[in-house]
Amino acid sequence: DQTVYFAKVGAQEGNTVVLFMKWTASDGRQGNFSSAFRCGEGLTDSSEGGWEPVVPGSIGHTWYEYACKNRQQDLTKPETAASPEISRNAKQALLK
């Protein structure tokens, strides 16, 4: 659709990464948004709260791969259930 996206890893806690994105449409419209991803688990934050699977082949999957590839931890190391994560409140605080 000729929309251009720019993304930056904005925060990381444990295996959770927040990706900040800006977009520009061909008609000049612009916007920004963020998404959180749980690397190694294939999950993204849901608009209803909680986590949902990243859809393979979607633009969201491309963002997931980018966010998790560019996080500071080594993706070859196994994740643990004890890894901390960013809460929805912490993400909202990061967005302000």
Side-chain angles (χ1 to χ4, degrees):
D1 68 359
Q2 304 300 315
T3 301
V4 177
Y5 294 92
F6 302 91
K8 175 183 174 183
V9 173
Q12 177 183 321
E13 188 174 320
N15 72 334
T16 303
V17 175
V18 177
L19 190 63
F20 295 97
M21 292 165 274
K22 292 184 177 192
W23 58 270
T24 302
S26 59
D27 63 4
R29 291 179 299 124
Q30 297 180 338
N32 58 62
F33 61 99
S34 67
S35 291
F37 299 97
R38 291 179 77 176
C39 297
E41 298 176 53
L43 300 174
T44 186
D45 58 329
S46 163
S47 58
E48 293 85 34
W51 298 93
E52 62 187 19
V54 175
V55 177
S58 68
I59 188 75
H61 191 264
T62 301
W63 296 329
Y64 168 79
E65 288 180 333
Y66 176 81
C68 293
K69 176 182 175 188
N70 288 293
R71 71 184 188 146
Q72 294 175 359
Q73 296 179 0
D74 182 355
L75 283 176
T76 63
K77 294 181 181 177
E79 303 290 351
T80 64
S83 295
E85 67 180 65
I86 294 175
S87 70
R88 291 192 72 74
N89 290 340
K91 179 186 169 195
Q92 292 303 318
L94 288 168
L95 294 174
K96 293 181 180 179

